C-alpha cells in the first residue's frame, strides 16, 4: 500500500544488541567496523520501511564515534527518516550503549545515511513524501538540507580548485609530510 506521504514515526526502527567479545578490536573495545555494519542494516530497514521497496546505501555523510562501546553493554540504535528527496531518503541514526549493571546510558554515535529506493531492474523510484509533526522533526529536516548544501559546496569547490604543486609546497610546512618525488 503506497502512500503519497508518511509520518516519521511510521518508518522508525529501533534495534538492540548485546556486545560480545567477538565484536572487539585489538584494544578490547567494540570494533567500529562492526558498528558501521549495524548502522547500514538499520538504515536499510528504516529506508525500506518508508519507501516500501528495496533501498541501497548511496552515501554516508557523517559517522561520529563519540565514546567507545564496551563488551557487555547493550547497544541500541534508533533510526528515523530525517529527509526525503525524489528517490533518496536521509536516515538519522543515534547509537546509545547501556551498562546493564549500572543502568548508565551513553550516547556513542550519530550518523546520517543517504539511501536510494530501487524498483524493477535496479531503477531509482520515487519515495513517499514526509509529514513532519514536531519541532524536532522539522529541525532534523532543515539540518539535512544544510548538510546537502554543504556537501554540494565542498564538491563544487574541490572540482574547481586548481592544484599547482609549486604554489602549494610552502603551505605544506605545517603538515606531517615529506615530499620525495
Amino acid at each position: 500500500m503506497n502512500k503519497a506521504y508518511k509520518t516519521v514515526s511510521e518508518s522508525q526502527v529501533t534495534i538492540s544488541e548485546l556486545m560480545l567479545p567477538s565484536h572487539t578490536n585489538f584494544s578490547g573495545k567494540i570494533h567500529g567496523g562492526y558498528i558501521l555494519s549495524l548502522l547500514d542494516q538499520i538504515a536499510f530497514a528504516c529506508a525500506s520501511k518508508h519507501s516500501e521497496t528495496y533501498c541501497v546505501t548511496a552515501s554516508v555523510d557523517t559517522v561520529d564515534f563519540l565514546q567507545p562501546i564496551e563488551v557487555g553493554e547493550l547497544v541500541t540504535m534508533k533510526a528515523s527518516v530525517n529527509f526525503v528527496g525524489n528517490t533518496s531518503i536521509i536516515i538519522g541514526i543515534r547509537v546509545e550503549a547501556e551498562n546493564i549493571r549500572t543502568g548508565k546510558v551513553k550516547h556513542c554515535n550519530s550518523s546520517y545515511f543517504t539511501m536510494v529506493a530501487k524498483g524493477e531492474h535496479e531503477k531509482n523510484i520515487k519515495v513517499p513524501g514526509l509529514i513532519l509533526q514536531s519541532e524536532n522533526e522539522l529541525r532534523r529536516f532543515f539540518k539535512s538540507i544544510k548538510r546537502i548544501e554543504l556537501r554540494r559546496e565542498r564538491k563544487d569547490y574541490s572540482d574547481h580548485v586548481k592544484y599547482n604543486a609549486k604554489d602549494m609546497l610552502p603551505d605544506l610546512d605545517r603538515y606531517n609530510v615529506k615530499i620525495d618525488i
Side-chain angles (χ1 to χ4, degrees):
M1 179 172 97
N2 290 352
K3 295 180 178 181
Y5 291 87
K6 286 183 153 184
T7 63
V8 171
S9 63
E10 287 180 86
S11 304
Q12 288 176 324
V13 175
T14 300
I15 61 170
S16 295
E17 184 172 329
L18 184 64
M19 293 296 106
L20 303 174
S22 60
H23 303 141
T24 61
N25 58 24
F26 292 111
S27 67
K29 307 296 182 196
I30 300 304
H31 196 285
Y34 183 72
I35 298 300
L36 285 170
S37 173
L38 293 176
L39 289 167
D40 194 48
Q41 290 174 43
I42 195 170
F44 166 82
C46 185
S48 295
K49 193 172 176 182
H50 181 81
S51 66
E52 298 178 10
T53 190
Y54 182 76
C55 291
V56 297
T57 306
S59 71
V60 180
D61 191 37
T62 33
V63 179
D64 295 324
F65 292 98
L66 306 172
Q67 295 189 59
I69 300 172
E70 307 290 339
V71 171
E73 290 184 325
L74 181 65
V75 168
T76 300
M77 296 186 176
K78 301 171 185 177
S80 294
V81 175
N82 286 3
F83 176 88
V84 296
N86 290 316
T87 63
S88 64
I89 305 168
I90 295 177
I91 306 298
I93 308 166
R94 180 180 175 91
V95 179
E96 296 175 339
E98 178 182 357
N99 181 313
I100 294 174
R101 289 177 282 153
T102 66
K104 182 179 178 194
V105 176
K106 61 186 176 184
H107 178 204
C108 296
N109 185 303
S110 291
S111 46
Y112 303 94
F113 280 59
T114 300
M115 309 297 286
V116 175
K118 296 290 186 176
E120 289 186 36
H121 309 293
E122 293 295 310
K123 299 283 186 195
N124 294 358
I125 61 170
K126 187 166 176 51
V127 298
L130 195 58
I131 301 169
L132 303 174
Q133 297 181 305
S134 72
E135 290 287 329
N136 196 37
E137 291 172 0
L138 186 60
R139 179 185 57 78
R140 288 177 177 167
F141 190 86
F142 282 133
K143 285 181 90 171
S144 293
I145 291 171
K146 193 61 177 170
R147 273 193 299 281
I148 291 166
E149 290 171 353
L150 290 171
R151 184 172 53 226
R152 285 185 185 140
E153 286 175 20
R154 278 192 313 270
K155 183 182 179 335
D156 288 346
Y157 176 78
S158 65
D159 286 349
H160 293 96
V161 169
K162 302 294 183 215
Y163 295 97
N164 180 334
K166 181 182 172 193
D167 294 339
M168 296 179 72
L169 282 174
D171 291 337
L172 294 179
D173 289 345
R174 60 185 164 179
Y175 297 100
N176 186 18
V177 64
K178 177 181 176 186
I179 310 297
D180 190 11
I181 298 176

